[in-house]
Amino acid sequence: MPHLAVNELRARYGALDVLKGVSFSIEKGQVVALVGPSGSGKSTVLRTLVGLTPATGGNVMINDDRIDFASTASLRRARDQIAIVFQQYNLFQNMRIIDNVTVAPTKIKKRPKAEVRADAERLLAMVGLADKLQAFPDQLSGGQQQRVAIARALALHPEILLLDEVTSALDPELVNEVLDSIRQLAEDGMTMVLVSHEMAFVREIADQVVFMDGGVVVEHGPPAQLFDNPKTDRARNFFGKILRH
Amino acid sequence: MDRIIEQIPRFFTADNMVLLLQSAGLTLAMTLVGCVIGFVLALVLVFLRQTPGKWAIPLRIICVTYVEVFRRIPFLVVIYLVLFFIQTVATNASLFTIAVISICIYAIAYTAEIIRGGLESVPTTQMEAARAMNFGRLRTMLTITLPQAWPIIIPPAIAFAVSFIKDTALVSQIGVFELTFRGKELNNQGYSGVLVFGTIALCYFLMSFPLSMLGQYLEKRLATPRGQRTSRKIRRT
Amino acid sequence: MNYTFQYGVVWDNFGALMEGAWLTLQLGVFAFGGGLLIGLICASIKTYGPLPLRILVDSYVVFITNTPALIQIYFLYFGLPELGVRWSNEACVLIGLVLNAGAYLTMILRAGFLSVRKNEIEAGLTMGFSVVQQIRYIIVPHIAKSVYPALANFFIVVLVMGTSVGALIGVDELTGQAINLSSINYRWLEYFSVVAVLYVALTFVASIGLALLGRWAFRVKVRIF
Ligand SMILES: Nc1ncnc2c1ncn2[C@@H]1O[C@H](COP(=O)(O)OP(=O)(O)OP(=O)(O)O)[C@@H](O)[C@H]1O
Ligand SMILES: [Mg+2]
């Protein structure tokens, strides 16, 4: 039984069909990387999984439990298990860093304050921001905000973590730090769906790569197979361009 | 002209001034209570108006209609409607209550638009982040969007309340002992109209002008943000 | 609540209400028109005039906008006769409203004047426009575009909040008619609810008219709602 199974998922923005039937599945503790050209719908897949973009077709199962996107209760249950790190971080601008991380665990998950606080401080230290607890988001650099967003997602103790291009705003040194954290999470058995342009990283960490283009999955498989022996022209074209540098 | 000058010492007696002061207090109290309650109810109205889903369409229509309709009816007509409506359901309601309810009804319609504009200025991604973490709509509004919208909401809301100090003059018509009513009373007692209404105008001016200055000062204060917003701009470049 | 609504008597007197609505519309249009004239003069003085005149305009605007229109009208109606100036109640309301609207329109138009930037005028000069042509083709359209929505909005304010004040010194505009008629037979709720609907209808027609005028004359989009 896969931990997360996405089956023929469809979504649209207004009249624009963005996802035209996307399928993939992940076992518990696996890492799936979504790759593909800009605008291919990678972010939309993640947004749909947490119910921010309504699914117009297909289905999503978590542990064989089907998410009913029309039911608030079902969506709530899904969001309880999934945490997302947005491409644009989306930290709460009116809250200090520490509150950004603790607000949902205390207010929504109703965990004890002291425990959440200690957890948050540990997570922020892990991403190298122990000295920024009292800062506001826009006093931080893009990379720092990105790391806060990761800590905020982890503080929710999710079973499935969705990461949208978490390294795109980071300096090269920081990329390694963040990638190390993600690697650690993978070793600890967190189920992850990540969108990334870092092919070297994807190759190292992902159990499975899903190549998307134009709202459909063109090809998927283990990284070695996809990167070195793509079956489709589109994939060969894409990886050929990206892997050259 | 001579009559006016001759009246001046008789008009500016301690008794008359105390009366005017009390009435001015009543004017301010009515405006404050009405606008504060109106503001809170406007928050509720905006919250209801943003209810998503098909089943809530009638609710949204009611909220929009309320705002549109009450911005198009004279305050005086609202006062009369409230007065006679309340008197048929609760005969012992005080005139002050009736005045405050009228002010509320009006303030809701105007401040709801101000609040809506403020909330809409907050990027939707903030709400999405909250939604992805299972925040309810009410909690999102109270802890995420409203705190970010205050700088946009507060200055025009204060400006509205201050300008409404003047509009409360109309409730003199139903006999609330506020400033304008006192003026008419003193005028009826034989005091010169120039003297009485000049003084009353001055009283309104002394309430309205400093408060509107305060409002403008607050607007500037809120527009120059605490360290944060400037750094956001720098980063974008 | 055991009140029974009886609208029959209101329909019997509907003609009188319509006369009131007509007077309301006239008062609104004239008050706004007069105010616009004052506003144009005062805003020009504020932008181009000498200091003493500017101070005078400032005092006028600050004093009028910080006191109730009702008190200004009471002053004209109850105060001025003592100084030998006696106007009818309708004249008092109209003059009061013109003075009142003039102050607010000065502020609105002044903001519009400020929005015309120097370089646009210079651009006009280099293109060889005469001064008159410049005003006709550059300045007026620009100001109109930037202030028209505010003007349209303010017209509704004058039409609703402004004119109804007249009722309090016995002018038979829409609200005044409602007071007159309902104090005869005590059908206050009926009269005033119908009058409320009439105000909504009147202002909607005005809003739509202004939106069309704005689109036709200045190519500005004005929201009706
Ligand atoms: N809020 C929106 N409204 C309308 N269209 C949108 C919206 N968000 C995304 N789209 C469109 O949906 C398509 C897929 O967008 P998506 O963000 O999923 O792409 P992506 O694969 O994540 O791209 P990138 O690598 O640039 O982040 C694009 O064509 C985009 O223009
Ligand atoms: Mg994306």
Side-chain angles (χ1 to χ4, degrees):
Chain A
M1 174 182 83
H3 193 183
L4 174 73
V6 177
N7 201 349
E8 283 298 307
L9 190 63
R10 291 170 177 278
R12 56 159 52 138
Y13 290 111
L16 181 70
D17 267 320
V18 179
L19 301 184
K20 302 166 188 162
V22 171
S23 312
F24 61 89
S25 64
I26 323 172
E27 298 299 323
K28 188 157 179 53
Q30 266 199 339
V31 177
V32 166
L34 296 182
V35 300
S38 184
S40 55
K42 307 180 296 290
S43 296
T44 308
V45 170
L46 302 192
R47 288 173 55 86
T48 310
L49 290 179
V50 288
L52 290 179
T53 300
T56 50
N59 63 62
V60 175
M61 321 266 270
I62 300 176
N63 288 329
D64 264 358
D65 183 11
R66 180 174 168 161
I67 305 179
D68 177 1
F69 288 100
S71 138
T72 327
S74 169
L75 262 180
R76 278 188 161 274
R77 223 169 331 127
R79 286 176 185 151
D80 208 34
Q81 301 169 59
I82 305 179
I84 181 168
V85 178
F86 293 95
Q87 196 168 356
Q88 317 294 340
Y89 342 125
N90 300 355
L91 298 180
F92 299 132
Q93 299 294 322
N94 57 316
M95 292 184 189
R96 295 177 190 280
I97 298 310
I98 183 72
D99 299 324
N100 257 285
V101 178
T102 56
V103 63
T106 49
K107 294 278 163 57
I108 310 294
K109 301 215 160 175
K110 310 277 185 217
R111 298 202 326 245
K113 270 209 179 85
E115 179 199 309
V116 170
R117 169 94 192 189
D119 194 30
E121 285 177 6
R122 179 182 64 79
L123 288 166
L124 284 167
M126 182 187 95
V127 294
L129 292 171
D131 57 333
K132 297 286 187 195
L133 301 188
Q134 299 302 323
F136 281 98
D138 51 8
Q139 293 170 327
L140 300 189
S141 72
Q144 290 171 328
Q145 291 189 52
Q146 182 82 78
R147 284 179 280 157
V148 175
I150 294 175
R152 180 171 74 171
L154 291 177
L156 293 165
H157 295 178
E159 290 174 25
I160 300 172
L161 184 61
L162 313 179
L163 299 160
D164 199 348
E165 310 216 7
V166 283
T167 54
S168 59
L170 303 182
D171 302 333
E173 313 95 80
L174 291 175
V175 169
N176 288 332
E177 274 177 44
V178 171
L179 294 185
D180 280 343
S181 319
I182 293 172
R183 209 171 278 129
Q184 186 60 47
L185 290 170
E187 275 166 29
D188 295 347
M190 171 90 72
T191 305
M192 282 189 274
V193 180
L194 54 88
V195 173
S196 180
H197 286 144
E198 299 279 331
M199 291 307 155
F201 171 66
V202 168
R203 183 193 286 268
E204 182 190 340
I205 203 170
D207 299 293
Q208 208 192 151
V209 178
V210 174
F211 171 62
M212 288 181 61
D213 193 4
V216 293
V217 175
V218 177
E219 198 175 336
H220 65 95
Q225 179 198 320
L226 225 72
F227 290 175
D228 303 332
N229 287 312
K231 289 201 206 73
T232 57
D233 287 346
R234 271 201 275 178
R236 194 170 305 129
N237 216 328
F238 178 76
F239 291 119
K241 264 186 216 147
I242 275 199
L243 294 178
R244 216 170 292 140
H245 39 247
Chain B
M1 195 68 202
D2 293 342
R3 198 174 71 91
I4 300 173
I5 295 168
E6 171 258 318
Q7 272 190 1
I8 288 178
R10 262 201 302 133
F11 179 68
F12 289 101
T13 57
D15 281 355
N16 277 352
M17 291 309 105
V18 168
L19 272 185
L20 284 185
L21 216 58
Q22 280 174 345
S23 314
L26 198 59
T27 290
L28 279 181
M30 268 184 330
T31 314
L32 189 70
V33 176
C35 286
V36 167
I37 299 176
F39 186 83
V40 174
L41 293 178
L43 283 172
V44 176
L45 183 101
V46 172
F47 180 76
L48 293 178
R49 181 176 172 170
Q50 291 177 343
T51 312
K54 272 213 179 73
W55 64 270
I57 290 176
L59 186 66
R60 291 201 290 270
I61 291 178
I62 290 172
C63 294
V64 174
T65 311
Y66 179 94
V67 171
E68 275 308 314
V69 163
F70 281 99
R71 282 150 58 95
R72 291 171 181 278
I73 300 177
F75 185 47
L76 193 54
V77 172
V78 174
I79 296 170
Y80 273 109
L81 281 174
V82 172
L83 173 70
F84 291 105
F85 183 76
I86 300 272
Q87 283 191 344
T88 54
V89 287
T91 29
N92 54 356
S94 75
L95 289 176
F96 182 81
T97 313
I98 289 167
V100 165
I101 292 175
S102 314
I103 295 170
C104 259
I105 288 178
Y106 228 65
I108 292 172
Y110 277 85
T111 43
E113 283 302 280
I114 296 174
I115 293 169
R116 191 168 66 94
L119 290 178
E120 282 175 2
S121 75
V122 178
T124 46
T125 50
Q126 292 284 304
M127 285 160 262
E128 289 182 346
R131 202 139 59 90
M133 294 200 281
N134 262 339
F135 277 56
R137 235 162 47 76
L138 184 60
R139 191 190 295 278
T140 306
M141 175 160 144
L142 293 180
T143 61
I144 312 292
T145 40
L146 261 188
Q148 295 186 47
W150 284 137
I152 310 231
I153 292 174
I154 291 185
I158 290 183
F160 169 78
V162 171
S163 88
F164 215 80
I165 293 176
K166 293 169 282 160
D167 295 322
T168 58
L170 293 174
V171 305
S172 61
Q173 185 65 5
I174 61 171
V176 181
F177 286 170
E178 46 68 81
L179 211 42
T180 304
F181 187 84
R182 280 291 181 221
K184 270 167 56 181
E185 211 180 41
L186 289 167
N187 187 227
N188 287 342
Q189 286 168 15
Y191 289 108
S192 140
V194 173
L195 205 53
V196 170
F197 292 112
T199 310
I200 299 284
L202 194 65
C203 291
Y204 276 106
F205 184 82
L206 291 177
M207 292 191 282
S208 163
F209 185 65
L211 286 172
S212 66
M213 289 287 121
L214 180 72
Q216 283 174 20
Y217 167 77
L218 267 179
E219 181 164 5
K220 282 207 190 91
R221 267 299 295 273
L222 289 170
T224 28
R226 21 163 208 185
Q228 333 165 24
R229 277 188 209 101
T230 44
S231 62
R232 192 190 296 170
K233 256 182 221 135
I234 291 165
R235 215 179 47 242
R236 285 230 181 91
T237 55
Chain C
M1 180 174 160
N2 46 16
Y3 186 88
T4 41
F5 284 89
Q6 293 176 15
Y7 280 98
V9 55
V10 180
W11 304 135
D12 294 343
N13 292 299
F14 199 69
L17 287 182
M18 289 313 280
E19 279 169 29
W22 175 232
L23 186 57
T24 288
L25 189 62
Q26 286 174 306
L27 276 176
V29 169
F30 287 123
F32 186 82
L36 201 57
L37 200 64
I38 293 185
L40 275 172
I41 295 169
C42 289
S44 313
I45 291 175
K46 269 210 76 169
T47 318
Y48 309 107
L51 188 62
L53 279 184
R54 290 211 303 267
I55 293 175
L56 206 64
V57 167
D58 275 338
S59 331
Y60 159 68
V61 170
V62 165
F63 197 77
I64 294 285
T65 56
N66 281 294
T67 51
L70 178 60
I71 298 295
Q72 293 154 16
I73 290 169
Y74 275 169
F75 188 89
L76 298 178
Y77 190 61
F78 295 115
L80 284 193
E82 295 163 11
L83 304 174
V85 183
R86 197 170 297 273
W87 287 324
S88 74
N89 53 358
E90 269 141 16
C92 283
V93 166
L94 188 57
I95 294 169
L97 289 180
V98 166
L99 287 175
N100 200 267
Y104 285 97
L105 288 167
T106 301
M107 298 204 295
I108 294 174
L109 291 171
R110 162 90 174 136
F113 282 18
L114 288 180
S115 74
V116 184
R117 287 180 300 273
K118 270 226 170 61
N119 50 12
E120 279 176 63
I121 296 171
E122 278 158 15
L125 282 178
T126 54
M127 287 198 290
F129 282 117
S130 73
V131 174
V132 175
Q133 282 174 325
Q134 230 187 96
I135 293 175
R136 169 74 184 79
Y137 293 108
I138 301 176
I139 300 180
V140 169
H142 183 108
I143 294 177
K145 205 166 204 154
S146 65
V147 301
Y148 190 83
L151 291 181
N153 193 32
F154 187 69
F155 177 72
I156 302 295
V157 173
V158 172
L159 191 59
V160 173
M161 288 294 265
T163 58
S164 65
V165 173
L168 300 193
I169 57 167
V171 174
D172 297 333
E173 44 67 65
L174 189 46
T175 308
Q177 274 308 29
I179 296 176
N180 294 343
L181 292 169
S182 44
S183 48
I184 296 171
N185 49 33
Y186 302 105
R187 289 283 148 204
W188 295 88
L189 277 177
E190 288 87 339
Y191 273 113
F192 276 89
S193 50
V194 170
V195 160
V197 172
L198 286 178
Y199 270 110
V200 173
L202 187 64
T203 53
F204 255 117
V205 172
S207 291
I208 292 168
L210 286 168
L212 292 177
L213 179 68
R215 211 166 289 183
W216 171 75
F218 308 111
R219 305 219 184 88
V220 250
K221 284 208 176 105
V222 185
R223 56 191 278 280
I224 295 167
F225 290 98

